[in-house]
Amino acid sequence: MRAALKAVRGTRDLLPDQTPLWNNVETTARNLFARYGFGEIRTPVLEATELFARGVGEETDIVSKEMFTWEDRARAGGEGVHGPESKAQSLTLRPENTAGVVRAYIEHQMAHSGALQKLYYIGPQFRRERPQRGRYRQFWQIGAEVIGPPSSGSESPLRDAEILEMLAGFLDKLGVRGWRLELSSVGSYQDRVRYNEILRAALQPIRSRLCGDCQRRAETNPLRVLDCKVPDDQALIGALPQISDHISADSQTHFSAVRAALEACGVPYTLNPRLVRGLDYYTRTTFEFTVSTGLGTQNALLGGGRYDGLSEMLGGPRSPGIGFAIGEDRLILTLQAQQEEDARASGAPPGELLDAYIAPLTPAQNATALALARELRCAGLRIEVGDGSFKLRKSFEIADSLARHIVLLGEDEAGSGVFTVKAFASGEQTKIPRARLAEALHGVQSRGSNFVQ
RNA sequence: GCGGCUAUAGUUCAGUGGCAGAACGCCGCUCUGUGGCAGCGGAUGUCGUGGGUUCGACCCCCACUGGCCGCCCCA
């Protein structure tokens, strides 16, 4: 026998027992984002490799070792925009979506309207990392970007606070418990470069007292030292210069305004001057929402920040912006872990039941049963139909596992047009004429009514 | 990309160098127009894949693949 094919490493199927939760999350996002004036954008999964090299940063881990990249075939005909000498082009499956959105913003000249652009996306991203809990090679992000020319107010700290306040509302609406907003400002690009050198210098004298990892990081990526989790290093790290003391006056004023607006909105946050983000384009405000349930060591549920120079890095007009990306897979893991906690507490099994199961009693009733099902489905009911070859006992067992009612359809019913209907919750059995059947089956909503239908 | 742990029935997991096991689930019967309960019976399977050691490997060794955890990093 030939070996069965499997989903490729780090990718997975989402089966019908999972998708209602995913749809609920996505619908909640769409509805909420729309209230803030966001419109949906869908960009290609495939982009020129150069987009990420320039946008995300050549030296970042994502670009230097985690992208699915290949050389597309050279074009034989040599016609079109790339000219007759068109060569093979390096293509990449997008590892994140901000660069693509900003590319589209530039390509469609959205800056020319002068208006602030508020765009959101939901879609798969790809990174060639080792799979772990909450980390997949194809993973989903729900993200949004606010971008526009400076005259549109895109630089205003109000936009930062609005994004953060919206995210807090989103997590609350989904019922995520125990989330934490960690907030920082990394200053302008120039601030960051300068601080990096200051940090490197400060690390020199204490380097030998740090853990092995940090001794290496002190050379390769000083900012990462701040993120160290080794307890013995904490005191040393605490004494290092903080980026908040080394950002420009402008950046400090901006950050204060963000915090004031958050406080006015009642959004709780924790200042984390050690918050380190891995993408080159971040400037000023950066943030992460973390959660303790269900994610193991991958406790970052979403992250984002300001990227005031990204448009220019990609060859566009000056257009400051701010955005975020939610790790949808991680959000789902968190919600599922919470549901399990709740189920343990209440003992109530989750589940979404159909309105009725139609049980033909002999194969002769099959056709009538399907016609009846069609009629009821047209009336908006969720219906499953059995098969007349099943024994009645089996029909009841299946019906009880799937639906709130069973509708019996035997010779009597076919002849009289009056159906025997039993409600499983109450055990009550009644005779209902066909004309009133749909109405009778509606009744109480199913247990899964908090899910989108 | 590196390190550790791991892979047995649909599921959760036992197991021993010498006949492949339990629970739950599934199917059948008791029970041919009334389910949930109970009793009885049944099938669970290339023991992840490929090599090697051995008279004999689910067990020991190697490689590969997947999963989990840690590192790196990120959502």
Side-chain angles (χ1 to χ4, degrees), chain A residues 204-387:
Chain A
Q204 261 330 304
I206 62 165
R207 208 179 137 189
S208 58
R209 288 189 281 155
L210 293 167
C211 72
D213 278 338
C214 284
Q215 299 198 11
R216 183 173 41 77
R217 289 175 183 136
E219 275 308 305
T220 60
N221 194 349
L223 285 171
R224 280 278 152 217
V225 176
L226 303 177
D227 213 19
C228 180
K229 285 145 201 137
V230 177
D232 288 353
D233 285 8
Q234 294 310 310
L236 293 166
I237 292 167
L240 289 167
Q242 296 199 344
I243 191 157
S244 46
D245 299 326
H246 293 271
I247 63 179
S248 64
D250 271 2
S251 295
Q252 291 198 32
T253 307
H254 190 275
F255 193 42
S256 304
V258 174
R259 291 164 56 186
L262 276 181
E263 279 150 29
C265 291
V267 176
Y269 63 87
T270 308
L271 283 183
N272 181 357
R274 300 180 196 168
L275 184 68
V276 176
R277 314 244 71 238
L279 282 63
D280 279 2
Y281 55 61
Y282 284 122
T283 55
R284 302 204 210 180
T285 311
T286 59
F287 56 87
E288 232 171 55
F289 282 72
T290 61
V291 81
S292 55
T293 313
L295 290 183
T297 52
Q298 252 64 251
N299 70 341
L301 199 57
L302 69 93
R306 192 160 263 292
Y307 44 82
D308 293 338
L310 181 55
S311 174
E312 288 154 290
M313 286 160 69
L314 298 178
R318 173 160 163 70
S319 297
I322 179 166
F324 63 84
I326 302 166
E328 189 175 3
D329 306 75
R330 292 183 182 181
L331 181 54
I332 298 281
L333 280 172
T334 302
L335 291 171
Q336 284 172 335
Q338 286 190 184
Q339 281 179 359
E340 275 167 36
E341 276 182 2
D342 294 348
R344 271 198 299 277
S346 69
E352 189 168 11
L353 294 173
L354 302 174
D355 293 306
Y357 181 91
I358 300 174
L361 297 187
T362 73
Q365 274 81 47
N366 275 352
T368 313
L370 190 62
L372 179 62
R374 175 183 158 87
E375 187 179 312
L376 295 174
R377 285 165 175 161
C378 285
L381 290 159
R382 288 171 299 181
I383 302 293
E384 180 59 289
V385 203
D387 188 285

Side-chain angles (χ1 to χ4, degrees), chain A residues 50-56 99 102-112 147 281 307-319:
Chain A
E50 192 189 352
L51 172 65
F52 305 114
R54 282 166 61 178
V56 176
V102 174
R103 193 223 81 234
Y105 166 88
I106 296 166
E107 188 165 335
H108 299 284
Q109 307 189 36
M110 293 187 199
H112 283 51
I147 183 171
Y281 55 61
Y307 44 82
D308 293 338
L310 181 55
S311 174
E312 288 154 290
M313 286 160 69
L314 298 178
R318 173 160 163 70
S319 297

Side-chain angles (χ1 to χ4, degrees), chain A residues 16-18 20-21 24 335-354 382 400-404 445-451:
Chain A
D17 63 331
Q18 297 236 306
L21 184 53
N24 183 41
L335 291 171
Q336 284 172 335
Q338 286 190 184
Q339 281 179 359
E340 275 167 36
E341 276 182 2
D342 294 348
R344 271 198 299 277
S346 69
E352 189 168 11
L353 294 173
L354 302 174
R382 288 171 299 181
D400 191 24
S401 70
L402 287 183
R404 296 182 297 118
Q445 281 309 299
S446 77
R447 278 180 274 168
S449 58
N450 56 322
F451 290 136

Side-chain angles (χ1 to χ4, degrees), chain A residues 399-446:
Chain A
D400 191 24
S401 70
L402 287 183
R404 296 182 297 118
H405 301 94
I406 185 169
V407 177
L408 298 182
L409 176 45
E411 261 179 59
D412 298 353
E413 287 83 357
S416 65
V418 177
F419 297 92
T420 307
V421 177
K422 187 162 187 175
F424 287 114
S426 63
E428 194 180 326
Q429 184 162 313
T430 49
K431 298 261 184 188
I432 300 175
R434 186 164 194 150
R436 288 192 35 241
L437 199 50
E439 180 199 347
L441 293 175
H442 264 299
V444 202
Q445 281 309 299
S446 77

